[in-house]
Each structure stands twice: as structure tokens, then as C-alpha cells.
Amino acid sequence: MSLSGPAPFSNRLHIVTWNVGSATPPDDITSLLGLNVGDGNTDMYIIGLQEVNSMINKRLKDALFTDQWSEVCMERLSPFGYVLVTSQRMQGVLLLVFAKYFHLPFLRGVQTETTRTGLGGYWGNKGGVSARMSVYGHTICFLNCHLPAHMENSDQRMEDFESILQQQQFEGQAATGVLDHDVVFWFGDLNFRIDDLEMQVVKSAIDNNKFSILWEKDQLNMAKDSETVLEGFQEGPLKFPPTYKFDVGTNTYDTSGKKRKPAWTDRILWRLRATAPAGAGKRGSISGLTSGAKVTQHNYRSHMEFTVSDHKPVSSIFTLQFPYKVDLPLVTIIVEDEWNSVADATVIFKLAPNYSRSSWDWIGLFKVGFKHYKDYVGYVWAKQEESDFLRQEHQVIWMHVGFNTRIIFFHI
Ligand SMILES: O=P(O)(O)O[C@@H]1[C@H](O)[C@H](O)[C@@H](OP(=O)(O)O)[C@H](OP(=O)(O)O)[C@H]1O
């Protein structure tokens, strides 16, 4: 581990949650991703969807991704240098985590979890999917939930959230449960409603931009006062109109026979792990290192322009700051020269002393603009021969590769 001086390290995250209501993706999601207004400084995109249709996308050859939403997100983000780091799907609940390709060597311990809570835990129409990783040495967990619908199920939503937290356990020492991570982002169609107030009162508050009248009757805000599991979770002010429920294709609240009361069902919250008091043992010392972690929310908004679903998408941009950065690569790849022939296609790699090799390690050759880690042009196994044990440098040679562009990664 290296402490690279006093300068804090910061990461810009763009998080989206959207219940897409089984719709096919709209042609253009540029504004949802802020690609039209951004300064290109976003480090990671985290996209949590609910009610994704399971229809197989025949255009996609790679069997890994079988839905149009993953494809459209990859198509939009890869030209900007974002690569899908991991994804997790549980029926309609989908989580996609993208990062700028040059961060990849420093995103480690990537794991995902799923928890079904529908039909008493047997059906994945409701529940949570998560992805965790360490980012330059700091543990982060992203949890995308779709909690039960309907006004009267507020307690059930809290119970399901607790059971998702209990059931999601990751391997390894650094962080085993969701709340053990340095930072947690919790988002999704959490399905909380606005209690008590009559439809007319809610609609008039919305029409007159007086959202604060509704805040205190929002079930999630109310639950924050009484539920211990919500301690430490923070959320920015809801300064956008409730994102549910709209007539599809319009910006008009539900005119169907169901007449659902508008609600902020779609939310993005975050939580910093509490720092253990001094002398609290091993955990305490880990916490000591992360005590300067800071999350700044730059915006929290809905996107009214998207009408394919009965929900509007919600997005938020955050800066994450940590007091230090672990930026020593486990593997250094050295390409000495331009490759002009197959014979030149040689790469030397050096491993950090603390890196324990696996026979599954491979080195991939990627085109600039690659979409995910299996999107390689070619790969070779980073095999370890007995005679290699004492060597610090190792060499691999590619055969049969094209020589257009290249990015090389060691896959752990
Ligand atoms: O698709 P699922 O997981 O089974 O759950 C449905 C989903 O949450 C819909 O949003 C909801 O419709 P509303 O948003 O209109 O309430 C529907 O309620 P419903 O049974 O009243 O149609 C739920 O059953």
C-alpha cells in the first residue's frame, strides 16, 4: 500500500436509477448520462434499472449481455472511454457499473450479490442486486433495490431492505456486508409513497413547486426517524417532482382507473461507514485510515423528457473524496516498441511482490473503445512455469493479432 502524499483523491460518480416499466430503451439517453453537458470528468457511471424486460436481444452476439439496456448503455459510454466493469441482473433488476478504462487496474475485489424478496423470498421480481469493489484502496458498495409496491407496504419495504442487507455477504476480509463498506450508495425503485395527504393536496403542491409540503409525509423520510437500519443514510433534498406514476408517453400523472397518488418512488441515498472509536481493535485501525472520506452531491434530479415508462429516471452526480489513494499497480505491463509485425507482439509484465498468481490469469489485447472485459481482440494465459518463480519479469507473445490499436490489461 502506498500513501501518495497529502493530496486527497477524488472520484466523480454519476448514478442513475430508473424503473423502465418493461419498455425498450429510447433512442437517445445522452441527456440521462449528462454526456451533452458533462466536462468528461466523470470517473464512474452506475446505472440501476428495474422492470427490465427479459426479451433476448438477438443483435448481440455476446451471450453475456442479453438485454437491450446493457447494450445501449455500453454503446453510449464506450466512445467516451467507459468500460463495463461488472453487471448483475435479477429478473428485471439490473445493475451496471462502468469506469474510465484507466481506472481498471485500481478497481479490485469486484463482487456482486443478489437477493430475492418477492413471494416470500422465492421470486426475483422484487429484491436487490449489488456490486462491491475497492476503488484505489477504498471499499464501495452499490445496491440497487426494487422494493414492494403500494401505499400500505411501507413496513414491508423496510423489512425487505433489512433482509437484503442481512443476506448480502461478500467474501474477503475488507468488507463482508453492505454496510461494512467505506461508502454505500443505495438506490432504486424503493417504492415509498406520500402518506395521508389527499390527491388534490399532493397535485397542487406539485403544480406550485411546493415540494417541501410533501417531504414530511414521504414514507422514507418518516422511516428515517424511526428505523435504526437507516441511520447514517443521507439523501439530498427532493427538489424535483415525484417521479411516479405517469401515463406512458406523457408527463401527465396517472389518469388510469388505478389513480395512483404521485410519489418519489425512485431514490438515491448514500452512507459513509461510521468511524470506530479509538482503540476499537483491528476494525478501528481500518476506520482510522478512511475517516476523512467525504461525499459531495452536486445534483439530484429527475429527467422529465423520458416518457417510455410510468416512472421518470432519477440521477445524481457525486464527488467522493478520500484522504489517500492506493495506486501501486499489482501488475505493470511494458510494451517497448511499436508493433510492426507478429514477431514484435511482445509484452513484458512485472508483478508486485504481494500479488499471488492464479492459473486463470490472462492478458488481453483490446481495441480502444472496448465495451467490457470480454470484448478482447485476443488473449494469452499468463502462465506460470516453474522456472518463473524467481523471475521478476515475465514475457508473453501474441500470435494472430491485428495491429490497429491496443490497450492491454492483465485480468485477475
Ligand atoms: O411487476 P411486479 O413486480 O409484480 O409489481 C407490480 C409493480 O410494482 C407495479 O409498479 C405495480 O403497479 P402500480 O405502479 O400501478 O401500482 C403493480 O401493482 P398492481 O398489482 O396494482 O398493478 C405491482 O404488482
Side-chain angles (χ1 to χ4, degrees):
M1 178 184 294
S2 82
L3 305 188
S4 63
F9 136 69
S10 71
N11 227 18
R12 177 96 69 94
L13 308 182
H14 185 121
I15 301 185
V16 172
T17 179
W18 191 7
N19 181 327
V20 297
S22 302
T24 50
D27 292 336
D28 192 358
I29 55 166
T30 307
S31 63
L32 181 60
L33 301 174
L35 295 168
N36 48 340
V37 290
D39 50 13
N41 285 338
T42 298
D43 297 286
M44 297 178 78
Y45 277 93
I46 298 92
I47 300 168
L49 305 177
Q50 306 85 34
E51 296 198 7
V52 170
N53 196 323
S54 308
M55 192 176 63
I56 302 284
N57 179 1
K58 301 212 167 43
R59 276 182 298 152
L60 200 63
K61 293 187 204 96
D62 191 333
L64 254 186
F65 306 103
T66 55
D67 73 274
Q68 294 173 309
W69 287 92
S70 299
E71 190 192 13
V72 87
C73 293
M74 285 190 286
E75 288 291 337
R76 279 315 280 131
L77 288 171
S78 66
F80 293 87
Y82 298 98
V83 176
L84 185 67
V85 177
T86 188
S87 70
Q88 185 63 40
R89 171 104 190 246
M90 180 186 67
Q91 291 180 213
V93 189
L94 175 66
L95 176 61
L96 305 168
V97 179
F98 292 86
K100 275 268 170 77
Y101 71 92
F102 51 78
H103 292 311
L104 292 185
F106 308 102
L107 307 182
R108 297 185 190 148
V110 179
Q111 292 179 51
T112 57
E113 267 282 8
T114 63
T115 307
R116 297 181 173 87
T117 56
L119 292 182
Y122 288 101
W123 196 236
N125 63 326
K126 293 291 186 312
V129 302
S130 63
R132 62 85 55 198
M133 65 199 66
S134 91
V135 178
Y136 292 92
H138 306 278
T139 58
I140 305 186
C141 187
F142 303 105
L143 173 60
N144 172 26
C145 288
H146 191 183
L147 300 179
H150 305 316
M151 184 69 76
E152 64 278 16
N153 285 332
S154 192
D155 290 346
Q156 188 62 50
R157 288 186 268 279
M158 285 312 308
E159 270 175 43
D160 284 9
F161 178 50
E162 282 190 58
S163 106
I164 291 166
L165 292 181
Q166 269 162 19
Q167 289 180 52
Q168 302 215 335
Q169 298 294 328
F170 302 96
E171 289 165 17
Q173 293 174 334
T176 52
V178 172
L179 299 186
D180 293 323
H181 289 76
D182 293 334
V183 186
V184 176
F185 288 94
W186 175 38
F187 45 90
D189 178 359
L190 307 184
N191 246 327
F192 289 98
R193 308 299 168 102
I194 296 168
D195 252 345
D196 299 336
L197 303 176
E198 296 292 327
M199 177 75 98
Q200 276 320 104
V201 177
V202 173
K203 286 209 168 153
S204 137
I206 295 170
D207 290 343
N208 295 301
N209 254 328
K210 296 227 159 82
F211 302 126
S212 57
I213 295 172
L214 311 176
W215 291 346
E216 61 186 32
K217 292 295 178 186
D218 169 78
Q219 290 174 333
L220 180 56
N221 285 346
M222 293 195 285
K224 277 184 199 155
D225 295 334
S226 54
E227 301 282 345
T228 12
V229 70
L230 293 179
E231 264 173 33
F233 276 98
Q234 300 180 61
E235 186 183 23
L238 295 158
K239 290 186 177 165
F240 50 87
T243 51
Y244 163 96
K245 170 178 178 128
F246 290 89
D247 290 342
V248 172
T250 75
N251 284 335
T252 310
Y253 285 107
D254 186 22
T255 57
S256 76
K258 287 188 182 177
K259 295 241 169 347
R260 300 290 184 218
K261 215 196 310 181
W264 284 291
T265 49
D266 310 281
R267 311 286 276 266
I268 302 174
L269 292 89
W270 71 96
R271 178 187 185 272
L272 290 172
R273 183 161 59 87
T275 314
K282 193 164 173 267
R283 270 273 160 76
S285 63
I286 295 171
S287 300
L289 282 174
T290 61
S291 58
K294 199 175 150 196
V295 171
T296 310
Q297 186 175 44
H298 299 290
N299 68 26
Y300 187 29
R301 56 167 296 205
S302 64
H303 296 259
M304 293 298 279
E305 67 273 29
F306 293 98
T307 60
V308 293
S309 162
D310 56 350
H311 290 246
K312 301 294 177 190
V314 170
S315 70
S316 186
I317 297 174
F318 296 95
T319 302
L320 235 97
Q321 279 175 293
F322 292 106
Y324 71 95
K325 174 179 184 180
V326 178
D327 56 0
L328 260 192
L330 287 176
V331 180
T332 309
I333 288 179
I334 305 154
V335 181
E336 277 169 354
D337 261 321
E338 283 296 306
W339 294 349
N340 296 312
S341 73
V342 168
D344 297 335
T346 301
V347 157
I348 291 169
F349 62 93
K350 285 186 189 175
L351 302 173
N354 59 340
Y355 178 65
S356 60
R357 291 183 68 174
S358 143
S359 52
W360 295 106
D361 292 340
W362 52 275
I363 301 177
L365 184 68
F366 296 84
K367 275 190 186 178
V368 171
F370 70 110
K371 295 177 186 144
H372 54 87
Y373 77 92
K374 289 211 169 173
D375 197 12
Y376 47 76
V377 180
Y379 74 92
V380 286
W381 293 107
K383 282 202 198 110
Q384 185 170 30
E385 308 295 342
E386 264 185 54
S387 57
D388 278 358
F389 275 103
L390 297 172
R391 284 174 42 211
Q392 288 192 324
E393 288 190 356
H394 310 267
Q395 177 176 307
V396 293
I397 300 171
W398 266 285
M399 305 297 275
H400 315 301
V401 291
F403 294 98
N404 26 19
T405 44
R406 61 181 192 236
I407 292 180
I408 299 162
F409 279 114
F410 193 95
H411 192 269
I412 298 167

